[in-house]
Amino acid sequence: MDLLTNTVQPYAWGSTTALPELMGTPPTGKPQAELWMGAHPAAPSRVERDGHTLPLDRVIAADPARELGPAGLRRFGPRLPFLLKLLAADAPLSLQVHPDLAQAAAGFALENALGVPVDAPHRNYRDGHHKPEMIVALTPFDGLCGFRAPRGCADLLDRLDVPGLRPFGAALREGDDEAALREVFTAFLAPRAGLVGEVTDAVAREAAREGPHRADLGAYLAIARAHPGDPGLLGALMLRYVRLAPGEALHLGAGVPHAYLSGLGVEIMASSDNVLRCGLTSKHVDPGELLRVVRFSALPTPVLVPRAEGDEQVYPAPVDDFRLSRLVLTAPARPRPLAPGAPQILLCTQGKAHVASAGASLTVGPGRAVYVPAWERVAVSGRGTVFRATVAVPGDRPYGPAH
């Protein structure tokens, strides 16, 4: 096993204080948005092997069967299929959606055939993988996730009382649900001049009043102030506003439009760079491809809570690229063995955790993480909270606690 040295991503929307406070490090005065843990080639974690500091992707490539295990190697190839992050948002991120696996593979192949450079700003597909995600709140965490029911969306637009929105409210009330969501969302991608400003003024007015949408309107006002004049505000009005309590989670599947707004959380995702943006960004927006990928259906309440599986609290996700669970450690309880067979990253978010194998032991505090290769059997103990990231391969026994 290896203690990971990880990269902090300084994206402009990041908090200047949340990660330093968690990790006990001095703030730099600059945004610290994400701490990456994994083998993503853009910023792989680093490990010490035989006196050398090596990127984790290179370590895995040198012996994928030993690092990933035979089942994982068969299913995902010679790469770590997930990326674990600490995410600290202090301003709204872009409104975005991710393709499913078939869409990603086809889009990547097409853009390759057209000769579009992989790093081109206007490229949509940078690899052939899907990108399901999950965020678990460590603090109260605000986000947008999935479409509101059309009539609920119409109620919100009606409350704003902007003449230019009235036809859209009528369309949402009268049409087939999927067709109405598609029609209005498509129109909002390219609104008439002046409409975003009128809506911004109405959101500010209504956010100051009591009413059933006040909390939602406060979130949309924060979006409007962070991205003045951006038409993504209109699309955001169609999405469900969600506030997670610590320990609650969101799973963001293919085709579901979403945006993180504020808060600190543990995020896990399939290791991919495929993002189609809908707005709230200065980056490339491809309306045609976006509309092909978005799923125009209202979601039920998307908040997840973990389920108990032995000593673990597992956050359910309908994918096998990652499996995320939480262990609450209470010293002096016996060490909890974790079954080998798949690669694991163990991230401490509170207190101290001791990770021991047959030949070594490591102690980590908040914000520090340990990589465990597939072949190695470890046990965890201590007093605190540990998130365990691994994979679940169909046809094989789930990688749960050892018994």
Side-chain angles (χ1 to χ4, degrees), residues 106-251:
F108 182 62
L110 176 61
E111 290 184 322
N112 282 347
L114 293 173
V116 182
V118 173
D119 59 353
H122 62 285
R123 177 141 185 165
N124 292 316
Y125 298 96
R126 302 185 185 278
D127 54 65
H129 307 295
H130 65 168
K131 194 186 178 187
E133 300 176 351
M134 179 182 289
I135 185 82
V136 179
L138 296 180
T139 66
F141 193 97
D142 289 356
L144 305 177
C145 181
F147 288 107
R148 297 173 178 275
R151 285 153 190 80
C153 183
D155 289 342
L156 177 61
L157 298 186
D158 289 349
R159 174 168 174 173
L160 295 177
D161 195 26
V162 175
L165 292 180
R166 288 172 189 160
F168 302 116
L172 289 163
R173 290 187 187 283
E174 297 167 6
D176 169 80
D177 284 0
E178 180 176 340
L181 289 171
R182 178 182 290 274
E183 175 188 345
V184 175
F185 190 78
T186 301
F188 281 174
L189 290 174
R192 67 158 174 82
L195 183 58
V196 174
E198 295 166 15
V199 171
T200 298
D201 292 342
V203 168
R205 181 189 68 239
E206 294 301 316
R209 297 180 180 178
E210 293 296 334
H213 295 294
R214 188 176 185 186
D216 306 54
L217 288 164
Y220 301 132
L221 181 58
I223 289 171
R225 288 173 173 169
H227 298 276
D230 193 306
L233 172 65
L234 304 181
L237 293 174
M238 299 181 68
L239 304 187
R240 184 191 296 267
Y241 164 67
V242 179
R243 166 160 280 199
L244 299 178
E248 294 180 332
L250 287 176
H251 175 261

Side-chain angles (χ1 to χ4, degrees), residues 307-333:
R307 63 177 181 234
E309 291 188 11
D311 291 335
E312 295 183 282
Q313 298 170 337
V314 179
Y315 289 90
V319 297
D320 53 8
D321 306 72
F322 59 77
R323 176 185 184 273
L324 184 67
S325 61
R326 183 177 64 184
L327 297 127
V328 179
L329 308 174
T330 54

Side-chain angles (χ1 to χ4, degrees), residues 4 54 57 100 105 137 149-150 155 196 229 240 255 269 275 286 288 293 297 322:
L4 294 179
L54 300 171
D57 59 340
D100 63 25
D155 289 342
V196 174
R240 184 191 296 267
M269 61 182 61
V275 177
D286 182 338
V293 168
S297 58
F322 59 77

Side-chain angles (χ1 to χ4, degrees), residues 8 10-21 25-33 90:
V8 173
Y11 306 137
W13 50 261
S15 169
T16 59
T17 59
L19 284 180
E21 287 176 0
T25 58
T28 64
K30 297 180 179 179
Q32 298 186 44
D90 198 38

Side-chain angles (χ1 to χ4, degrees), residues 13 92-96 227 258-260 275 277-281:
W13 50 261
L93 282 66
S94 64
L95 187 63
Q96 59 187 254
H227 298 276
H258 61 275
Y260 298 148
V275 177
R277 292 176 174 84
C278 317
L280 311 182
T281 181

Side-chain angles (χ1 to χ4, degrees), residues 328-391:
V328 179
L329 308 174
T330 54
R334 64 176 178 82
R336 300 180 184 185
L338 302 178
Q344 305 178 66
I345 294 178
L346 307 176
L347 166 67
C348 180
T349 59
Q350 185 269 326
K352 284 192 175 180
H354 311 292
V355 185
S357 67
S361 64
L362 294 169
T363 299
V364 290
R368 302 307 302 273
V370 174
Y371 164 74
V372 182
W375 63 269
E376 192 167 15
R377 185 180 297 272
V378 300
V380 294
S381 60
R383 186 185 299 275
T385 302
V386 169
F387 282 84
R388 180 191 183 205
T390 183
V391 298

